[in-house]
Amino acid sequence: SSRVLWTLAVTQFEKSTHSADGLVDSVKGLLDGLFANIKTKSQTDFEANITTCSTMEEVAATMLKGGFARIPFHSMDTDGRDADRIIHEKTGGEVRGHIPGEAAPAEGTLCLVTGKPAKFWGYVARSY
């Protein structure tokens, strides 16, 4: 019945009341808003914790303070594994991946580890 009202606790600070007729749409709208907020916050936090590094020492320092080291990297395929091992041995971090669609490093930029042409920005972080 449309006379039945539902109260939803969305966050610890916000409550809203909805009729039963529109409850499903209301919940979908609230969830969409929550997911958008979570995505925005996580993207902001991620960007705030990126340090673009040009030396292995900078990567090691970034691993000590926490966050992500953004490095020019030559390959995200199996031929990048040896370079990843070197990064791990020298810094304690590992190449966790790249951002699909992100522009490649400028032409002439070399991989921080191998000296090969860099095709990606690799993101190095520690695993916990």
Side-chain angles (χ1 to χ4, degrees):
S1 154
S2 63
R3 297 176 53 111
V4 175
L5 299 179
W6 294 84
T7 300
L8 304 173
V10 177
T11 68
Q12 62 183 349
F13 304 109
E14 177 184 329
K15 289 184 181 181
S16 57
T17 302
H18 306 270
S19 70
D21 290 341
L23 187 59
V24 171
D25 289 335
S26 294
V27 170
K28 284 181 181 178
L30 291 169
L31 288 174
D32 288 345
L34 286 172
F35 289 137
N37 288 340
I38 290 168
K39 184 177 180 181
T40 298
K41 182 175 181 345
S42 64
Q43 184 67 31
T44 300
D45 289 348
F46 174 66
E47 291 171 0
N49 287 294
I50 295 172
T51 303
T52 300
C53 300
S54 57
T55 67
M56 205 60 81
E57 292 77 19
E58 290 174 346
V59 175
T62 300
M63 296 303 98
L64 286 174
K65 75 173 180 143
F68 299 90
R70 180 179 182 245
I71 64 166
F73 202 64
H74 74 286
S75 177
M76 292 296 165
D77 291 325
T78 56
D79 59 333
R81 287 184 185 159
D82 289 337
D84 188 37
R85 276 189 218 104
I86 292 168
I87 291 170
H88 182 69
E89 290 168 6
K90 292 186 175 188
T91 70
E94 299 171 15
V95 176
R96 308 308 286 172
H98 72 285
I99 297 175
E102 180 178 28
E107 191 165 333
T109 303
L110 302 178
C111 174
L112 183 65
V113 182
T114 65
K116 296 177 181 178
K119 298 178 185 172
F120 301 93
W121 287 107
Y123 288 82
V124 178
R126 286 186 165 179
S127 59
Y128 295 94

